[in-house]
Amino acid sequence: MQPTATVLVYSDDARTREQVRLAAGRRPAADVPPVEFLECATLPAVLSALGRGGVDVCVLDGETAPAGGMGVCRQIKDEIFDCPPVLLLIGRPQDAWLATWSRADAAVTHPVDPVGFADSLASLLRHRLSVEA
């Protein structure tokens, strides 16, 4: 198991980024490595971070403006080679179809439910780390 996993968190709202960090904790599950967070508030910051590499999972806020997480997800899935899995924060369960359109690997509703969020994040980390192994 690698020593840490890097989770990129994209939201223009510092409180949302904090909710994500608190919900995931230092380690979202016992069988995944501890996580380090890379916070981004703008699309250029996300693209720059992904261009540098080393990101294991992206958490994108679908309610971010002006570049919403759903559009960002679709863009990075098209443009980033070996794009990390994406966990999308959606405003309501009825928006799940938009998460599918954006090609997100998983979606959870906002406000963040710590148990459901940690489970989804851990699942994506397991998948990403097994593919890299």
Side-chain angles (χ1 to χ4, degrees), residues 49-58 75-86 105 127-133:
L50 290 172
R52 287 190 302 272
V55 173
D56 295 299
V57 172
C58 296
Q75 179 179 348
I76 65 175
K77 291 289 187 171
D78 285 341
E79 297 178 0
I80 303 296
F81 175 74
D82 194 26
C83 183
V86 174
D105 299 280
H127 177 73
R128 177 69 170 191
L129 299 175
S130 70
V131 168
E132 289 178 353

Side-chain angles (χ1 to χ4, degrees), residues 35-107:
V35 294
E36 293 181 356
F37 295 97
L38 175 59
E39 295 185 34
C40 299
T42 65
L43 175 58
V46 169
L47 298 176
S48 176
L50 290 172
R52 287 190 302 272
V55 173
D56 295 299
V57 172
C58 296
V59 177
L60 308 178
D61 180 2
E63 305 298 316
T64 295
M70 293 179 202
V72 171
C73 180
R74 191 164 175 96
Q75 179 179 348
I76 65 175
K77 291 289 187 171
D78 285 341
E79 297 178 0
I80 303 296
F81 175 74
D82 194 26
C83 183
V86 174
L87 176 54
L88 191 60
L89 301 178
I90 57 177
R92 54 198 187 123
Q94 295 88 341
D95 293 336
W97 74 272
L98 287 167
T100 301
W101 169 85
S102 71
R103 299 190 208 139
D105 299 280

